[in-house]
C-alpha cells in the first residue's frame, strides 16, 4: 500500500482523539444525512479561470505541470491591496521541516505580517505530531480561524458542518472570480472540498506533483558508468538494484522496498478501480502475491537498506541525500526538497525512472492523491469569510508573481540572493521561510529549481512520458462513511502484514486470508458505499 502523506497524516487521528478525550474524534457530530452523493454532485463547483499573465518555458497540459527554466525578470505584482483586516488571524498546520524561529525572531514572518495587513499567528507541529495536535484541538473546541484538515480525517462531513463556515455562496460557479488565484486552481481539486451539499473549504492541490515513481541519484549511477537507466522489466530493475548495492561499503540501492513501483509494473489498481459501476480494491488484485514475492526477493538479495523497516521517512531522505542509498520512491515535491536539502555539493543530481511492465512493455503509474489538505475556516472566527478568502487568494498567487517570489523565497539580500533572475535561498532563508504558508492555499506546483534549468527539464520530460498512462483512484470525490472511519486502520493491518511477508517472517500465502478479513471488516462495505455514491451521481 503506498503510504501517501495524506494517509499518514490521517492515520492516527481517531486513535489520538480517543487517547485525548476517551471518545472518537467526532462523537456528537456524526455525518449529517445531507452528506449524500447526490447533494454533493449537485453543487456548482468554482469556475476554473487559468491565470494567463505568465508564460511557461515548458507548457503543461491539464495533467502535465508548467515548467520554467528561470524566474521571470520582472515579477508581476498581482494583488494591489493587503488582504488582512488589521486583526490577528490564527492558523494551525503541520510543517515538513524543522520548526522555524518564532515571529519575534523571524524577519520573514514579520515582513509577511506587514504585507498581509494582519498578524498571522501560526500554531505548527511536525508531520509526525500534527495528527495528535489536531485531534486535541478539535476535541477541546479550541479552533483557529484557519484550519488545515488532512483529507483522511475521520468523518469530515460532520466536522465541517458543526465547526466550519459554509463557503458555497462565495466560491460556487462565477462567484469565485472575486478571488482570481483561487479560480486558477483547476475544478478537479474542488471536488474534495464538497460535503453536506456545500463547499466547506479551499483545496491545497497536489495530483501530478504528488505522483511518485523511482527517484534516483543520477550522479551515483553515472559514477558506475550507468547513464539513462531504463529497465525494461522487473528483472532488469532488480539487476540495476544489485549493481548499485555494496553492503560492505554501507551502500544500498533502495531506501525501502519499492512495493508501489512493483505493483504499478503489474497493473494493480491505485487504491480503488471502477469498471461498469463495480469497484475493486488494490488488495483484491490477482497480482498481489506476485508483487509480494518480488518485494521479498529484493529484501533477500540485500538491495534494501536493512534499517528500512525501523526508521522514519526523514531517515530515508538522509540516506538518499548522503549517498547511502541510490533510489527512493517519492514525488516531484520530494525531488525539489532533495535539492533543498542537498549535502553532496554541486555534483548532486536527481532523476526519475519510468515504470516498465513486469514482464516488458509499459507499467501503469499511479496519479498522486489530489489534495494535500482542505483549508477550512472556523465558524467561531471573528473574521469575515471574505477576509479569510482574500488571505487564501493571496497565498495562491502563482509562480512568476511578486507575491509568489516573496512567499516562497522571502526578502532579497537576507533570504535569497539573485543569480541572474533566479532567487537562490540563503541558509537563513531556508530556516525562516518554512512556516507552512503553502497549507493555507497554494497554486498548482510549477516545475522549477533556482539556477538549475535541467531540473524542470527532466521533470517535464518524465511527466510527458507517463501522463497518458496514469491510473487514478476511482474513489476520489466520493464519500464512504465506512472508509472514513475504518480505512486507515484496515490499511495499516495490510501494510504491517506486507512488511512481515517481504522480510520473510510470514508466507506470501497469508495475504489471501488477510484480504478476506479486510473485506469482512469493512472493505466490502466501503465498496458498496462507493458504488452507491457513484450510482447516485450518475448523470450529474
Amino acid at each position: 500500500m503506498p503510504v501517501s502523506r495524506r494517509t499518514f497524516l490521517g492515520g492516527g487521528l481517531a486513535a489520538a482523539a480517543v487517547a485525548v478525550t476517551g471518545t472518537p474524534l467526532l462523537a456528537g457530530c456524526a455525518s449529517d444525512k445531507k452528506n449524500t452523493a447526490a447533494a454533493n454532485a449537485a453543487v456548482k463547483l468554482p469556475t476554473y479561470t487559468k491565470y494567463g499573465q505568465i508564460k511557461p518555458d515548458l507548457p503543461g497540459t491539464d495533467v502535465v505541470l508548467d515548467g520554467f527554466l528561470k524566474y521571470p525578470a520582472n515579477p508581476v505584482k498581482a494583488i494591489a491591496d493587503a488582504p488582512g483586516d488589521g486583526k490577528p488571524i490564527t492558523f494551525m498546520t503541520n510543517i515538513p521541516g524543522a520548526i522555524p524561529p518564532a515571529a519575534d525572531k523571524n524577519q520573514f514572518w514579520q515582513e509577511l505580517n506587514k504585507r498581509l495587513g494582519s498578524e498571522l499567528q501560526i500554531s505548527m507541529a511536525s508531520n509526525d505530531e500534527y495528527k495528535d495536535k489536531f485531534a486535541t484541538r478539535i476535541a477541546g473546541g479550541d479552533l483557529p480561524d484557519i484550519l488545515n484538515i488532512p483529507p483522511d480525517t475521520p468523518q469530515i462531513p460532520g466536522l465541517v458542518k458543526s465547526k466550519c463556515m459554509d463557503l458555497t455562496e462565495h466560491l460556487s460557479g462565477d462567484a469565485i472570480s472575486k478571488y482570481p488565484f483561487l479560480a486558477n486552481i483547476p475544478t478537479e481539486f474542488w471536488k474534495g472540498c464538497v460535503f453536506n451539499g456545500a463547499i466547506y473549504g479551499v483545496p491545497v492541490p497536489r495530483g501530478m506533483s504528488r505522483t511518485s515513481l523511482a527517484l534516483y541519484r543520477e550522479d551515483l549511477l553515472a559514477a558506475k558508468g550507468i547513464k539513462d537507466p531504463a529497465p525494461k522489466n522487473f528483472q532488469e530493475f532488480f539487476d540495476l538494484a544489485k549493481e548499485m548495492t555494496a553492503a560492505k561499503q554501507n551502500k544500498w540501492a533502495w531506501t525501502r522496498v519499492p512495493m508501489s513501483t512493483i505493483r504499478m509494473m503489474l497493473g494493480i489498481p491505485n487504491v480503488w478501480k471502477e469498471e461498469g459501476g463495480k469497484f475493486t480494491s488494490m488488495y483484491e488484485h490477482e497480482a498481489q502475491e506476485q508483487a509480494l514475492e518480488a518485494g521479498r526477493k529484493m529484501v533477500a538479495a540485500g538491495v534494501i537498506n536493512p534499517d528500512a523497516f525501523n526508521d522514519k521517512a526523514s531517515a530515508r531522505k538522509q540516506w538518499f541525500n548522503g549517498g547511502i542509498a541510490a533510489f527512493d520512491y517519492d514525488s516531484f515535491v520530494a525531488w525539489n526538497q532533495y535539492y533543498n536539502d542537498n549535502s553532496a555539493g554541486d555534483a548532486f543530481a536527481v532523476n526519475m525512472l519510468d515504470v516498465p511492465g513486469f514482464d516488458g512493455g509499459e507499467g501503469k503509474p499511479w496519479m498522486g492523491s489530489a489534495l494535500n489538505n482542505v483549508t477550512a475556516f472556523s465558524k467561531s472566527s471573528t473574521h469575515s469569510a471574505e477576509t479569510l478568502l482574500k488571505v487564501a487568494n493571496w497565498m495562491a498567487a502563482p509562480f512568476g508573481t511578486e507575491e509568489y517570489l516573496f512567499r516562497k523565497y522571502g526578502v532579497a539580500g537576507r533570504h535569497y540572493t539573485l543569480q541572474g533572475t533566479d532567487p537562490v535561498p540563503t541558509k537563513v532563508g531556508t530556516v525562516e521561510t518554512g512556516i507552512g504558508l503553502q497549507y493555507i492555499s497554494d497554486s498548482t506546483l510549477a516545475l522549477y529549481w533556482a539556477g538549475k534549468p535541467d531540473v524542470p527539464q527532466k521533470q517535464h520530460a518524465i511527466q510527458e512520458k507517463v501522463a497518458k498512462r496514469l491510473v487514478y483512484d476511482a474513489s476520489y470525490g466520493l464519500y464512504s462513511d465506512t472508509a472514513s472511519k475504518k480505512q486507515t486502520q484496515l490499511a495499516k493491518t495490510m501494510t504491517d502484514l506486507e512488511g512481515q511477508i517481504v522480510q520473510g517472517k510470514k508466507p506470501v500465502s497469508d495475504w489471501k486470508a488477510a484480504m478476506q478479513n479486510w473485506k469482512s471488516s469493512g472493505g466490502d462495505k466501503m465498496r458498496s458505499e462507493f458504488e452507491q455514491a457513484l450510482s447516485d451521481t450518475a448523470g450529474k
Side-chain angles (χ1 to χ4, degrees):
M1 173 76 188
V3 182
S4 69
R5 207 167 136 275
R6 67 170 192 162
T7 310
F8 169 69
L9 270 178
L13 285 167
V18 171
V20 172
T21 65
T23 58
L25 184 62
L26 294 171
C29 59
S31 173
D32 187 81
K33 290 281 183 284
K34 277 165 67 185
N35 187 56
T36 64
N40 291 341
V43 173
K44 190 168 189 188
L45 294 171
T47 304
Y48 172 50
T49 309
K50 189 170 171 66
Y51 182 67
Q53 296 264 25
I54 294 140
K55 303 295 179 208
D57 301 305
L58 306 166
T61 63
D62 57 345
V63 176
V64 176
L65 299 168
D66 287 340
F68 294 85
L69 304 182
K70 57 184 188 296
Y71 207 88
N74 300 300
V76 178
K77 180 157 178 57
I79 300 171
D81 301 323
D85 57 10
K87 295 182 292 185
I89 296 171
T90 54
F91 171 50
M92 178 173 119
T93 188
N94 61 293
I95 55 162
I99 300 289
D104 61 344
K105 298 183 178 66
N106 187 325
Q107 288 185 34
F108 169 73
W109 200 335
Q110 291 162 20
E111 178 61 23
L112 170 75
N113 289 340
K114 274 188 217 158
R115 293 184 183 216
L116 285 181
S118 276
E119 181 190 345
L120 187 64
Q121 299 173 350
I122 308 174
S123 167
M124 54 187 88
S126 69
N127 288 351
D128 294 337
E129 293 165 351
Y130 186 63
K131 56 192 177 196
D132 295 335
K133 187 164 187 168
F134 180 89
T136 306
R137 292 284 291 269
I138 297 286
D142 171 27
L143 293 190
D145 298 309
I146 302 176
L147 184 63
N148 164 345
I149 305 178
D152 284 0
T153 300
Q155 295 174 282
I156 289 182
L159 166 61
V160 295
K161 185 164 179 60
S162 64
K163 309 281 189 189
C164 303
M165 293 182 192
D166 176 344
L167 301 172
T168 314
E169 66 173 298
H170 304 283
L171 298 174
S172 182
D174 294 340
I176 199 171
S177 62
K178 203 171 163 188
Y179 311 102
F181 300 122
L182 297 182
N184 185 47
I185 297 172
T187 305
E188 187 66 18
F189 296 111
W190 291 93
K191 286 183 186 172
C193 300
V194 175
F195 307 97
N196 315 305
I199 302 170
Y200 272 95
V202 171
V204 173
R206 285 297 180 265
M208 192 53 158
S209 63
R210 181 65 59 72
T211 294
S212 295
L213 290 166
L215 289 174
Y216 66 92
R217 284 282 302 273
E218 206 171 30
D219 52 321
L220 298 182
L221 270 70
K224 286 236 179 194
I226 305 167
K227 292 198 174 159
D228 299 321
K232 293 185 180 65
N233 51 43
F234 173 73
Q235 190 56 52
E236 289 189 12
F237 178 81
F238 184 34
D239 291 342
L240 179 61
K242 287 195 272 198
E243 200 170 343
M244 290 308 298
T245 299
K248 286 182 179 163
Q249 293 160 39
N250 195 33
K251 292 192 189 306
W252 286 270
W254 277 90
T255 60
R256 54 172 153 173
V257 190
M259 287 305 303
S260 295
T261 305
I262 295 168
R263 288 182 168 120
M264 292 176 203
M265 290 182 187
L266 288 160
I268 290 173
N270 178 1
V271 191
W272 287 97
K273 174 186 176 181
E274 179 269 321
E275 212 166 4
K278 299 294 177 197
F279 276 66
T280 310
S281 163
M282 63 181 294
Y283 299 126
E284 303 168 276
H285 195 273
E286 63 274 8
Q288 279 287 3
E289 293 189 21
Q290 189 182 354
L292 291 162
E293 196 56 68
R296 180 144 85 163
K297 194 172 168 184
M298 291 186 79
V299 175
V303 299
I304 316 291
N305 187 318
D307 291 325
F309 298 97
N310 311 320
D311 283 339
K312 291 181 177 166
S314 54
R316 292 202 300 271
K317 291 183 186 301
Q318 286 163 12
W319 302 335
F320 188 78
N321 260 330
I324 291 168
F327 292 90
D328 184 35
Y329 173 79
D330 219 323
S331 67
F332 291 92
V333 174
W335 186 334
N336 282 5
Q337 190 62 39
Y338 274 132
Y339 275 97
N340 200 42
D341 299 339
N342 166 30
S343 53
D346 290 342
F348 183 84
V350 177
N351 212 330
M352 194 180 250
L353 292 181
D354 192 357
V355 57
F358 194 87
D359 295 312
E362 294 179 323
K364 295 187 174 174
W366 295 336
M367 179 57 141
S369 52
L371 303 184
N372 182 80
N373 61 283
V374 174
T375 296
F377 306 143
S378 169
K379 259 186 194 171
S380 58
S381 174
T382 57
H383 300 276
S384 67
E386 288 91 342
T387 294
L388 299 176
L389 284 166
K390 278 200 258 178
V391 169
N393 181 65
W394 189 89
M395 298 288 175
F399 184 93
T401 62
E402 190 192 68
E403 289 80 3
Y404 182 101
L405 181 64
F406 168 73
R407 205 171 71 241
K408 301 288 184 182
Y409 296 96
V411 177
R414 178 173 176 82
H415 299 111
Y416 66 87
T417 54
L418 279 175
Q419 188 177 313
T421 60
D422 285 321
V424 177
T426 61
K427 280 190 177 157
V428 171
T430 302
V431 170
E432 288 192 354
T433 57
I435 61 176
L437 300 183
Q438 69 271 33
Y439 303 137
I440 292 180
S441 183
D442 211 350
S443 55
T444 50
L445 184 78
L447 303 177
Y448 167 78
W449 194 255
K452 286 191 177 290
D454 62 311
V455 172
Q457 284 170 328
K458 288 174 197 169
Q459 292 176 332
H460 200 262
I462 187 74
Q463 288 194 2
E464 286 196 313
K465 211 169 177 187
V466 303
K468 286 190 173 64
R469 288 186 280 132
L470 287 166
V471 177
Y472 292 71
D473 174 4
S475 71
Y476 171 64
L478 300 172
Y479 183 74
S480 154
D481 203 46
T482 305
S484 176
K485 292 173 189 167
K486 294 189 168 183
Q487 180 167 290
T488 302
Q489 190 51 51
L490 289 175
K492 184 180 184 306
T493 303
M494 298 304 279
T495 306
D496 289 348
L497 174 63
E498 174 190 298
Q500 297 285 303
I501 290 173
V502 298
Q503 290 177 83
K505 295 175 180 177
K506 289 195 171 171
V508 170
S509 56
D510 277 11
W511 184 264
K512 201 167 275 179
M515 189 264 289
Q516 291 300 333
N517 187 52
W518 173 86
K519 286 171 71 173
S520 60
S521 302
D524 281 340
K525 201 155 180 229
M526 288 182 219
R527 180 201 328 283
S528 65
E529 288 170 2
F530 284 133
E531 288 174 356
Q532 186 63 52
L534 185 70
S535 165
D536 290 347
T537 60
K540 288 203 169 63

